[in-house]
Amino acid sequence: MPELPDVPTLLQTAVDALGGSHREGQSRMARAVDSAVGDAEHLVVQAGTGTGKSLGYLVPAIRHAVAEDTTVVVSTATLALQRQLIERDLPRLAAALAPSLGREPTFAILKGRGNYLCRHKMSGAGDDADDGSELFDPRQLSAMGRQVKRLHEWAEETDTGDRDDLDTGVGDLAWRQVSVAGNECIGAAACPFGQECFAELAREDAASADVVVTNHALLAIDAMQGRHLLPEHAVLVVDEAHELVDRVTSVAAAQLGERAVTTAAKRAGRLVEPDTAGRLEEAADGLALMVADAEPGRLDHLDEGLAGAVAVVRDAAHACITAVKGVKTGGEDDPEGTAARKRALAGLEEVHDAAERILEAVEPPLRERGSVVWLAKGPRTAPSLHVAPLGVGGLLRDKLFGDRTAILTSATLALGGTFDALAGQWGLGRETVLKDDVPDPDLAPDPESADGEPRWRALDVGSPFDHARSGILYVARHLPQPGRDGLDESYLEEIAGLIEAAGGRTLGLFSSMRAAEKAAEEMRERLDLPILCQGEDSTGRLVERFAADDGACLFGTLSLWQGVDVPGPSLQLVIVDRIPFPRPDDPLSSARQRAVGAHGGNGFMAVAATHAALLLAQGTGRLLRSVDDRGVVAVLDPRLATARYAGFLRSSLPPYWGTTDPEVARAALKRLDAAAPSAARQGAEA
């Protein structure tokens, strides 16, 4: 192969072909990624909104893949970014770089098996009456029946079988009738539809692609459960890296409830002696009795009754597993029997492993525990026990970062002015090399530090936005501290005054749906403006309506803190009702804080303040989405100006110009409101 152009040349080629312009931050990022890949060291890159970070990592990633004839994996947290990469960024970039690389780079997307239609399941194999489907007949004109009928019709025309390619979505119950989880699949060799399996075809495409796009959950499953779903790769790019710990924690967690145990027992009951499966059904009843009267929340200890019930489930599930493994099937000549056995084992093993983990988690003294157990229950939630690791840094260090080079990037990674908080959560430990684009080789240490921590470095390439000139951070210092009884009247008055000054154009980010709904209800009475609230329609449609109407306001909670991208005059005010600390009774957060404190650290700062800083940085980052945007971020919680930890939180935010004077904030919003219509008209004329 002829010598390929270097990364700066390829980046300029791509920028020219795509009609862009040189961005210094993007250029620095691309050079740093190239250097990290060449030196086999991890790189943490904070790239602010407007940097063009996708191009900043894709160009060096593609060059490496083509030069080494290998695959680079890119992992994202959200479906929106996956689609952006696969449908827009990669096709355009591949076409732009093809002449320089001698061929057009290839790319593919890979998701968990449950995201694809299963032709074997659709043929009627493995039908279960234990998943709720017995209540429905797919041939009847019920809502789910119509959805299943539509899925069967879609299966005849789709090339991918990917649920996300379905124009109008279907419910989870309907989808379960046509899909299987990864641990339920009998494998292509045994399946009569193996040669036309959508999931297998997606894996084949990925195996030969230069760039494979996946999600954090599948990345974690591949690395930690050893399923080898992704192609072999020595370079990994983790975009939206601020979400990595939460997504990996979810994969590493387990739960145990009556329904899961009963379902496992019924599946086993079709294959083993009635007495064996019956004991597991009885264990499910015993578990339900023990959790019925228990208080929800963190369980530092299991009382004798609950511990006994969990142990009975564990032992009964183990007996069923042994019995099911002893059942002989016809192998490749009996795919239905193989599927039934596989599905039974999958459910039984999940139940057994969850029960065992719960019991083991509470054995050590509190100070030495590595996991937390809690009971979740509510008016709409069946009681279930949960267990999750207190930290996933060790898992990430050993399973994900150990034998590959990782590039971790996001717009918000430096919390309190450093990368230390997230690096610690990822298991990277201390930064061990210089922060410059290319470290001095004479000063760089050995590949690993004395403590065995991976070698890594960090880089903040900044943002093309002039935050201090484009945005104001207004902290309502005069308001009372937020209480537990919802929004105080003074908060509602403040919200109304700010929105009125802005003429709408407001994204309201609230700490709870109750607060968002209360604010929406009150603003509809006080203001003559369109007020949209999360939950009244799909989030995507609400954002579209909000972006299309300059006078509209959109209120909501967590997903809006990170998922809204509305440049232009439709969004000129972001309101945050309170600092988004985790709830004091959140089992995982409270246990993590206690664990840090038990080892001499500051649990509040390491866990709660870090969580709040990350969400605040994401939320306030909704304001400026293009270089022409202007506006105000209004944080109503006075603690951002008065508390001891306020400096840490503010230093985690974009460097807006700050004020605590409400008149200054309202006057700025009125000026923007007066100018916005003409700006909108100019944009339309252009």
Side-chain angles (χ1 to χ4, degrees):
M1 175 181 288
E3 184 71 22
L4 299 180
D6 61 18
V7 164
T9 301
L10 288 174
L11 179 61
Q12 191 59 53
T13 299
V15 169
D16 291 343
L18 300 178
S21 57
H22 174 79
R23 305 181 198 183
E24 181 56 31
Q26 183 183 71
S27 180
R28 290 181 65 203
M29 179 177 181
R31 294 196 307 271
V33 172
D34 184 45
S35 174
V37 171
D39 295 339
E41 65 181 5
H42 304 309
L43 177 68
V44 178
V45 186
Q46 178 164 280
T49 306
T51 301
K53 64 179 168 61
S54 297
L55 225 59
Y57 63 71
L58 285 176
V59 168
I62 287 173
R63 186 191 186 281
H64 173 75
V66 172
E68 301 297 327
D69 191 24
T70 188
T71 297
V72 172
V73 170
V74 176
S75 181
T76 77
T78 63
L79 178 61
L81 181 55
Q82 277 188 27
R83 284 179 170 165
Q84 175 189 314
L85 292 172
I86 287 293
E87 297 174 9
R88 190 186 73 183
D89 294 350
L90 281 166
R92 297 166 67 199
L93 187 55
L97 295 182
S100 300
L101 297 175
R103 68 171 176 84
E104 187 160 314
T106 57
F107 53 89
I109 187 168
L110 190 59
K111 305 174 183 179
R113 191 171 291 273
N115 290 279
Y116 300 97
L117 290 171
C118 174
R119 294 191 186 276
H120 191 215
K121 183 78 173 283
M122 293 177 70
S123 72
D127 277 346
D128 278 331
D130 49 49
D131 59 2
S133 58
E134 75 278 8
L135 302 176
F136 301 92
D137 181 349
R139 298 169 187 80
Q140 293 178 355
L141 292 179
S142 63
M144 194 203 72
R146 287 192 297 271
Q147 290 179 2
V148 172
K149 181 174 182 293
R150 182 166 151 254
L151 285 168
H152 278 263
E153 294 169 350
W154 180 64
E156 299 304 315
E157 60 188 50
T158 177
D159 293 325
T160 66
D162 184 341
R163 182 179 183 178
D164 293 322
D165 290 344
L166 198 58
D167 285 341
T168 303
V170 299
D172 289 343
L173 184 58
W175 184 256
R176 284 203 299 270
Q177 311 311 306
V178 297
S179 67
V180 297
N183 59 355
E184 297 174 349
C185 175
I186 63 175
C191 180
F193 299 91
Q195 297 303 309
E196 49 187 322
C197 171
F198 289 117
E200 291 296 324
L201 292 172
R203 289 187 66 182
E204 287 178 15
D205 287 344
S208 59
D210 295 311
V211 176
V212 172
V213 178
T214 189
N215 57 69
H216 294 351
L218 185 63
L219 181 70
I221 292 170
D222 181 78
M224 295 175 191
Q225 299 181 9
R227 295 192 190 172
H228 305 297
L229 305 173
L230 296 168
E232 289 292 325
H233 58 285
V235 175
L236 165 68
V237 179
V238 181
D239 202 341
E240 300 177 311
H242 63 278
E243 292 265 24
L244 182 62
V245 168
D246 284 347
R247 302 302 172 98
V248 173
T249 300
S250 295
V251 169
Q255 69 179 77
L256 183 69
E258 176 194 11
R259 179 167 182 175
V261 180
T262 301
T263 297
K266 287 183 177 179
R267 289 180 179 177
R270 300 179 186 131
L271 301 170
V272 303
E273 292 294 327
D275 286 350
T276 304
R279 284 197 293 274
L280 186 56
E281 286 202 63
E282 291 173 3
D285 294 338
L287 180 67
L289 285 173
M290 288 298 104
V291 300
D293 296 327
E295 290 296 319
R298 192 181 72 217
L299 299 175
D300 290 334
H301 306 281
L302 300 184
D303 64 39
E304 185 177 348
L306 184 54
V310 174
V312 169
V313 168
R314 178 198 60 193
D315 296 342
H318 183 268
C320 284
I321 290 170
T322 302
V324 170
K325 285 183 175 179
V327 173
K328 303 297 183 183
T329 67
E332 294 184 11
D333 296 328
D334 182 20
E336 284 73 22
T338 302
R341 184 174 181 270
K342 185 79 172 182
R343 285 171 61 79
L345 282 174
L348 290 167
E349 287 169 351
E350 285 184 2
V351 164
H352 173 270
D353 293 350
E356 189 166 55
R357 285 181 60 187
I358 288 167
L359 293 170
E360 289 177 348
V362 298
E363 285 181 0
L366 283 175
R367 181 184 173 85
E368 299 174 13
R369 290 184 185 176
S371 297
V372 59
V373 176
W374 70 94
L375 173 63
K377 62 194 301 188
R380 300 179 183 177
T381 305
S384 59
L385 291 167
H386 296 251
V387 58
L390 288 175
V392 294
L395 289 172
L396 290 172
R397 182 176 60 245
D398 297 339
K399 303 291 188 180
L400 196 62
F401 301 144
D403 57 357
R404 58 180 60 84
T405 299
I407 312 298
L408 300 114
T409 184
S410 171
T412 50
L413 294 178
L415 304 179
T418 77
F419 294 88
D420 295 344
L422 287 180
Q425 292 181 14
W426 295 328
L428 292 181
R430 303 183 308 275
E431 186 177 6
T432 54
V433 297
L434 301 179
K435 293 186 178 182
D436 300 323
D437 279 12
V438 181
D440 183 340
D442 294 330
L443 297 178
D446 293 333
E448 291 193 353
S449 71
D451 295 332
E453 295 169 342
R455 173 180 171 182
W456 68 282
R457 59 191 173 98
L459 175 68
D460 184 351
V461 300
S463 168
F465 300 163
D466 188 344
H467 289 87
R469 290 180 176 272
S470 301
I472 294 174
L473 174 63
Y474 160 56
V475 181
R477 183 172 183 148
H478 63 284
L479 291 180
Q481 286 196 20
R484 295 186 178 182
D485 299 326
L487 291 173
D488 185 85
E489 175 61 27
S490 60
Y491 277 60
L492 295 169
E493 291 177 2
E494 188 79 21
I495 293 171
L498 289 166
I499 292 176
E500 192 169 27
R505 317 176 196 282
T506 300
L507 176 66
L509 303 177
F510 293 86
S511 54
S512 69
M513 274 309 301
R514 186 176 70 167
E517 291 165 354
K518 173 67 172 177
E521 178 185 343
E522 290 287 338
M523 294 309 111
R524 285 167 180 157
E525 293 183 4
R526 303 180 190 214
L527 303 171
D528 186 21
L529 291 167
I531 307 293
L532 309 174
C533 189
Q534 194 174 9
E536 296 172 346
D537 201 344
S538 72
T539 300
R541 291 193 183 95
L542 287 172
V543 172
E544 288 175 6
R545 288 167 59 189
F546 172 59
D549 186 346
D550 284 356
C553 302
L554 174 59
F555 294 174
T557 184
L558 188 60
S559 63
L560 297 187
W561 286 71
Q562 305 184 73
V564 175
D565 186 5
V566 181
S570 293
L571 174 51
Q572 295 186 333
L573 171 62
V574 174
I575 294 177
V576 176
D577 70 329
R578 65 191 300 161
I579 297 171
F581 292 119
R583 289 171 54 98
D585 59 354
D586 177 80
L588 188 53
S589 174
S590 62
R592 284 174 168 169
Q593 289 187 60
R594 182 179 63 189
V596 172
H599 291 84
N602 185 324
F604 172 78
M605 292 300 297
V607 180
T610 296
H611 172 93
L614 189 56
L615 270 182
L616 269 180
Q618 285 284 312
T620 57
R622 301 306 98 197
L623 180 67
L624 303 182
R625 309 305 294 175
S626 75
V627 293
D628 297 322
D629 286 352
R630 302 288 184 272
V632 173
V633 173
V635 179
L636 307 186
D637 191 333
R639 293 175 294 178
L640 191 60
T642 61
R644 291 194 305 272
Y645 49 77
F648 170 79
L649 296 179
R650 288 198 303 272
S651 65
S652 305
L653 306 183
Y656 299 115
W657 184 80
T659 183
T660 57
D661 188 337
E663 291 302 322
V664 170
R666 285 195 288 265
L669 289 168
K670 288 176 181 177
R671 290 194 298 271
L672 289 171
D673 181 35
S678 60
R681 281 197 300 273
Q682 289 170 6
E685 292 169 1

